[in-house]
Amino acid sequence: MEVDREDGRSQNQLRPLACSRNILHRAHGSASWSQDTKVLAAVYGPKAGTKKNENPEKACIEVIWKPKTGQIGKPEKEYEMILKRTLESVCILTVNPNTTTSIIVQVVNDDGALLPSAINAACMALVDAGIPMKHLAVAVCCCVAKSGYVILDPTKLEEQKMKAFAYLVFPNSVHSVLPEGSLRVEGEPIENGIITSVTHGIMSVDDYFYCLERGRAASVKLSDFLRRNLQQQSTDSSKAG
Amino acid sequence: MDARLANTWRLTLNEKNFIKTALLSEIRIDGRKPFEFRNISINFGREDGSAEVQLGQTRVMGIVTAKFVQPYRDRPNEGTLAIYPEFSPMADPSFEAGRSGESAVELGRIIDRGLRESRAVDTESLCIVAGKLVWAIRIDILILDNGGNLVDAANIAALAALMTFRRPECSLGGEDGQEVIIHPPEMRDPLPLIVHHLPIAITFGFFIDENVVVIDPILNEEAVMAGRMIATVNANGDICAIQKAGEGVSQRVIIQCLQLAITKAADITKQIKAAVEAYNSERALQKIKRETTCVGNNVKGDQNQTLDNKGISELVGKYMERLKLISVESYASQNINAEETKSLRRGTDSNCIKFNSTPLSWDPYSKCVDLEFLKASVASQGLSTASEEKEATGKEKGSEAESAGPYEDVNSKWSAVDASTTEMHVIGPKTLKDAVKPKNKRKKKASSMI
């Protein structure tokens, strides 16, 4: 079913992606991610000590979300919590116990799919800072319209008009030198798992599974993009201090 | 408590002595002369009123927004201007989230005095209904990277954002003539603010030896300096504000600094104006593209204050801009991109050069695609013609199985082609070619004259 999207994309088309690493000088790691929505992420860490209620046997992750303008309110706190949980499951927390890694996310332009862009930017920034991670988290946003079709990467208008939308975060696809079977979890490859899923609005179970399927396909493309990008820049000299 | 001490950054005694001794022989640790400013690069965001300034390693973003408020009782026919500085913890590990320290407050006050109290922005034109409704302009200053001298960079960011900000046009109407109608940007062009002059802040650093004065100190110098003076002047030679703290300095030095500040302010004013000019011309160009291709479609004349520019044609324009960006960047080859990240650290000229080549590079660090990938995808996908570009993407990507390929795949062929001329022809509608013709004719005339 061909769908008429305002900017002329088809259902399964993402907006042009652009990302770059190492843009800030003071931060230990930084990255910017833009697909019309632009997000800047910076990482400081590991710093000494954990926060009050955190487990000192493990590393702790702290997320600070900065909106473009205005006060920090409940939606920002929610984003911080989702980001924190997602990144906690991606980072290897046992390597640096009793430390805190701070991730600061700054929204530069919000045009739909804000949380997925932030997650992607945060992952890139963590890689730039050299924080040990199991794998990357790749996030996409899927929208379900009233007539049941699913579109990927909505703009802000589309998000508001649609019946429901879901932010989905998958692990990235793995290229490994280890034999095929060893990386599977319960018989399935790692990339079939879901790290985080946040939905808004009402959708049927079938719609949700349809979203997952689409999201997974998109995440493969995104992980390729990320891999290419990271490999290219890995030849740059490391930052001192 | 221990954690905070452990995480603070301190300069060692050796480093401090080195900086001081070097300054006695007029050598600065980043190679500049004492009265030399770092390179300034100004980039604008997608929306009006958003500017990002890079001053060496310091990075500041200024965002201007406007809304309706009731005016102050003692100034019933003037709009208001408010500055909100935010020292993001991203910029420096010592900046705390939430609570802003005294330096943030000081920065806000200095820029406030320079902009508002010197009446750089015309507030009377912001009045809609005297005594009842005025525009309140809010300037958010986000410090993204602290490389020293935040005040100057923040000031430039605020000015650049103010000059490119557009507020929606509104008129009085309704039954009793008291209702305010806000016109969406598609109906009526949003209006720029009236800026009378540009107050530029210049920071001077004083050291123990009276003869040692530096301009535009970097982070390490700021940790060593004994006193500092921030002079907000404009290109006409007016002093808008002066803020001095620290060691006492003789009058002679102050006068010298002020004179120097005025010359520097003239340079920076020119730079800001050039950047804003380039942005405005790009914006006008995009508007032309939007209007010519909008002829066939029905322009939604809804009064909802959507303020969005998501018309197909506008996006086509934007994607063409992006293509231009891609083509210029990948044309310039990988080397420049690799150098760019290095040069950001060194703060050399390449930033400025890059800025000049792609005026509306709102994402100066975008690395959309690399050349090999483009060639590979061109080979695998075959060529599609210019006008069928949109349909081609629809057909190829419409299939269930494959899905989510980014735009870059199909637009790849444009990377290898020269940016400026073909960009115009690519879009397709004949009216655009007509708009381009005079340019080409001018070119031909110029070449024939030569």
Side-chain angles (χ1 to χ4, degrees):
Chain A
M1 194 197 317
E2 266 308 309
V3 162
D4 227 356
R5 288 174 81 166
E6 263 191 19
D7 49 8
R9 285 185 285 155
S10 77
Q11 271 181 291
N12 299 321
Q13 213 168 7
L14 301 175
R15 287 172 286 190
L17 301 166
C19 69
S20 47
R21 279 196 302 144
N22 205 6
I23 30 188
L24 301 177
H25 297 92
R26 295 283 286 162
H28 297 151
S30 56
S32 105
W33 179 277
S34 66
Q35 40 185 86
D36 285 359
T37 304
K38 187 165 176 212
V39 177
L40 202 59
V43 171
Y44 282 99
K47 295 188 284 193
T50 47
K51 302 269 165 191
K52 255 197 191 163
N53 299 328
E54 301 281 345
N55 183 2
E57 308 264 322
K58 289 190 173 170
C60 157
I61 295 186
E62 176 197 10
V63 178
I64 301 169
W65 180 285
K66 291 266 177 208
K68 188 171 172 185
T69 87
Q71 298 283 7
I72 295 185
K74 299 272 170 57
E76 282 77 32
K77 292 283 179 204
E78 187 192 357
Y79 285 149
E80 283 179 8
M81 182 206 71
I82 297 173
L83 209 59
K84 178 176 145 105
R85 299 229 181 122
T86 306
L87 295 173
E88 269 177 0
S89 68
V90 169
C91 296
I92 304 178
L93 296 174
T94 48
V95 174
N96 295 317
N98 203 19
T99 60
T100 307
T101 303
S102 303
I103 297 159
I104 301 110
V105 175
Q106 172 72 53
V107 177
V108 175
N109 187 28
D110 180 9
D111 190 13
L114 185 58
L115 191 58
S117 304
I119 293 174
N120 290 330
C123 269
M124 293 274 290
L126 284 170
V127 170
D128 193 43
I131 308 288
M133 299 200 284
K134 300 176 211 159
H135 49 74
L136 293 180
V138 175
V140 283
C141 177
C142 307
C143 249
V144 179
K146 287 189 195 64
S147 38
Y149 58 85
V150 169
I151 59 174
L152 286 177
D153 197 18
T155 62
K156 200 167 178 88
L157 272 191
E158 286 173 344
E159 257 182 19
Q160 287 165 349
K161 277 195 307 189
M162 294 285 166
K163 183 172 75 164
F165 61 90
Y167 298 136
L168 300 166
V169 185
F170 302 98
N172 73 329
S173 50
V174 179
H175 292 183
S176 170
V177 295
L178 299 174
E180 261 279 331
S182 62
L183 283 181
R184 289 174 168 252
V185 178
E186 291 178 7
E188 287 200 42
I190 288 189
E191 47 262 30
N192 280 0
I194 308 174
I195 302 177
T196 302
S197 154
V198 184
T199 62
H200 287 83
I202 301 179
M203 58 171 89
S204 70
V205 177
D206 286 331
D207 283 340
Y208 183 65
F209 282 129
Y210 197 35
C211 281
L212 284 184
E213 204 188 291
R214 287 296 174 85
R216 219 168 258 135
S219 75
V220 171
K221 285 282 182 321
L222 276 175
S223 355
D224 283 340
F225 173 74
L226 276 174
R227 175 166 283 118
R228 258 196 328 270
N229 212 291
L230 290 172
Q231 275 176 347
Q232 234 179 344
Q233 289 183 330
S234 63
T235 51
D236 286 345
S237 57
S238 64
K239 213 177 3 171
Chain B
M1 178 65 182
D2 298 322
R4 231 203 279 164
L5 280 177
N7 290 330
T8 48
W9 167 78
R10 271 200 191 83
L11 216 50
T12 62
L13 283 177
N14 277 342
E15 284 179 299
K16 287 186 184 171
N17 287 332
F18 183 77
I19 296 177
K20 287 184 201 162
T21 332
L23 279 171
L24 288 175
S25 353
E26 298 207 346
I27 300 172
R28 293 172 79 168
I29 52 172
D30 58 349
R32 286 184 287 154
K33 299 203 199 60
F35 295 129
E36 203 181 308
F37 237 86
R38 283 175 286 181
N39 278 321
I40 303 173
S41 84
I42 307 174
N43 293 304
F44 297 98
R46 301 192 77 202
E47 293 170 356
D48 294 326
S50 130
E52 191 183 291
V53 170
Q54 183 128 7
L55 176 67
Q57 289 195 355
T58 304
R59 223 174 134 165
V60 179
M61 196 157 85
I63 298 169
V64 177
T65 46
K67 64 174 189 184
F68 286 135
V69 288
Q70 271 196 332
Y72 291 127
R73 252 179 283 147
D74 55 344
R75 288 175 211 263
N77 56 347
E78 280 184 20
T80 62
L81 188 71
I83 314 235
Y84 292 88
E86 242 203 72
F87 276 36
S88 165
M90 168 185 290
D92 199 289
S94 59
F95 294 165
E96 286 172 356
R99 216 169 35 91
S100 50
E102 49 184 40
S103 40
V105 175
E106 192 190 10
L107 184 139
R109 279 299 299 149
I110 295 173
I111 299 184
D112 196 50
R113 271 189 293 156
L115 274 182
R116 197 163 50 87
E117 296 186 15
S118 70
R119 304 196 155 270
V121 179
D122 185 45
T123 44
E124 285 187 2
S125 62
L126 298 174
C127 175
I128 304 166
V129 179
K132 290 207 199 125
L133 214 57
V134 296
W135 282 110
I137 307 283
R138 177 191 167 116
I139 307 177
D140 285 284
I141 296 179
L142 305 168
I143 313 278
L144 299 174
D145 207 359
N146 182 12
N149 199 5
L150 294 173
V151 180
D152 293 9
N155 201 346
I156 299 175
L159 287 172
L162 277 173
M163 288 189 75
T164 55
F165 175 67
R166 301 267 189 279
R167 61 176 176 87
E169 189 177 334
C170 51
S171 50
L172 292 174
E175 296 96 36
D176 54 350
Q178 289 295 314
E179 227 176 74
V180 179
I181 307 170
I182 305 171
H183 300 279
E186 288 90 30
M187 301 279 289
R188 295 224 201 145
D189 250 357
L191 307 167
L193 296 174
I194 301 176
V195 179
H196 296 302
H197 62 95
L198 293 175
I200 312 275
I202 312 272
T203 304
F204 295 89
F206 305 117
F207 297 82
I208 299 287
D209 185 340
E210 225 190 48
N211 298 324
V212 179
V213 179
V214 299
I215 207 175
D216 187 18
I218 59 171
L219 199 60
N220 293 356
E221 288 168 346
E222 279 186 350
V224 180
M225 64 190 187
R228 145 179 115 145
M229 176 172 87
I230 301 169
T232 308
V233 296
N234 68 9
N236 303 335
D238 304 321
I239 298 176
C240 305
I242 298 182
Q243 174 110 341
K244 191 200 165 302
E247 279 283 316
V249 188
S250 75
Q251 197 187 29
R252 175 184 55 87
V253 175
I254 299 281
I255 304 284
Q256 267 179 350
C257 289
L258 287 176
Q259 284 166 344
L260 187 59
I262 294 176
T263 20
K264 293 291 176 188
D267 289 332
I268 297 178
T269 308
K270 248 188 284 177
Q271 240 184 314
I272 297 179
K273 285 196 174 155
V276 173
E277 266 306 307
Y279 173 78
N280 283 338
S281 53
E282 280 298 326
R283 194 173 176 277
L285 213 61
Q286 279 192 354
K287 246 175 40 87
I288 294 173
K289 288 177 194 170
R290 179 179 14 151
E291 277 172 15
T292 50
T293 52
C294 250
V295 165
N297 308 339
N298 298 325
V299 177
K300 292 184 205 144
D302 44 292
Q303 290 283 344
N304 306 332
Q305 207 187 352
T306 46
L307 284 184
D308 81 307
N309 303 325
K310 307 269 182 304
I312 294 179
S313 34
E314 230 262 355
L315 259 144
V316 172
K318 288 235 163 88
Y319 288 133
M320 289 306 127
E321 284 303 315
R322 193 185 297 274
L323 287 178
K324 185 179 172 195
L325 187 63
I326 294 175
S327 50
V328 170
E329 280 206 345
S330 44
Y331 212 41
S333 90
Q334 244 93 338
N335 301 332
I336 294 221
N337 277 333
E339 270 170 18
E340 184 198 316
T341 41
K342 287 185 204 152
S343 69
L344 282 174
R345 279 178 241 145
R346 278 184 271 125
T348 55
D349 269 335
S350 42
N351 253 349
C352 275
I353 296 174
K354 189 162 189 309
F355 163 76
N356 288 332
S357 67
T358 54
L360 193 59
S361 57
W362 54 272
D363 193 4
Y365 310 107
S366 75
K367 288 183 66 179
C368 300
V369 214
D370 60 347
L371 214 48
E372 281 85 38
F373 170 64
L374 290 176
K375 287 178 189 163
S377 51
V378 165
S380 60
Q381 291 197 5
L383 298 171
S384 50
T385 59
S387 50
E388 292 168 12
E389 173 202 15
K390 272 206 287 188
E391 287 107 71
T393 55
K395 278 180 214 152
E396 283 167 28
K397 308 296 177 185
S399 57
E400 295 273 315
E402 238 351 67
S403 65
Y407 261 120
E408 309 142 12
D409 284 335
V410 185
N411 299 340
S412 49
K413 60 180 270 227
W414 308 122
S415 67
V417 186
D418 183 25
S420 46
T421 46
T422 44
E423 176 210 334
M424 299 298 187
H425 295 297
V426 153
I427 296 178
K430 45 207 183 302
T431 45
L432 201 59
K433 266 191 180 173
D434 294 338
V436 172
K437 249 188 197 166
K439 234 188 189 177
N440 288 340
K441 274 189 180 161
R442 256 183 261 140
K443 273 185 186 171
K444 285 182 190 163
K445 274 186 189 165
S447 55
S448 62
M449 278 197 284
I450 295 164

